[in-house]
Structures are given as C-alpha cells and as structure tokens.
Amino acid sequence: MAIIVNIDVMLAKRKMSVTELSEKVGITMANLSILKNGKARAIRFSTLEKLCEVLDCQPGDLLEYRSDKEVEEKTGK
C-alpha cells in the first residue's frame, strides 16, 4: 500500500514556492521536504488542515492511495 503526497502538484497549480508554503503553514523546510518526498510515516490533522487552508484545496487533492501493484507498475520496482 502506498499513500502518495501530491504537494508538488498543488504548489505548481498555486504558483507557490516550497519556502513560501513552509512559512505560511508553519512547518520547517525539512519536515515539508519529508512530506513532499513521500518519506513521512504520519501527518497531523492540524498540519493537513493548514496545508489545505494555505493551498485552498481538499485533503484528497494532497493525498492519493495507490496499491502496491500500481506503484510497482509505475516505478518498475
């Protein structure tokens, strides 16, 4: 099972930098990078709420579920 975090997609749609998002959400660049790169093991609802507020989106715009099979087909792993 894989949860894909689509922060990059929303940043591009909103024409916003990672630095700007980090400042507006109130999380460190390091933690935002962990989220962006899919290395996070959890996210607080308060952080998800703030991301949605700043990016003017829904949680489903940021988070996507893909089965292991789909991930393997896309990545070849």
Side-chain angles (χ1 to χ4, degrees), residues 23-64:
E23 291 169 357
K24 288 184 176 185
V25 172
I27 62 175
T28 65
M29 289 287 293
N31 284 337
L32 189 54
S33 178
I34 289 168
L35 274 174
K36 264 182 30 133
N37 296 320
K39 302 295 182 193
R41 302 193 80 204
I43 183 170
R44 293 175 189 236
F45 279 133
S46 58
T47 302
L48 182 59
E49 181 179 5
K50 191 67 176 174
L51 285 166
C52 289
E53 178 184 321
V54 170
L55 292 169
D56 188 28
C57 66
Q58 295 294 312
D61 297 326
L62 296 174
L63 303 174
E64 175 186 350

Side-chain angles (χ1 to χ4, degrees), residues 6-17:
N6 292 315
I7 290 176
D8 284 338
V9 173
M10 293 309 297
L11 284 172
K13 286 182 178 180
R14 302 297 184 249
K15 296 184 170 111
M16 186 182 295
S17 71

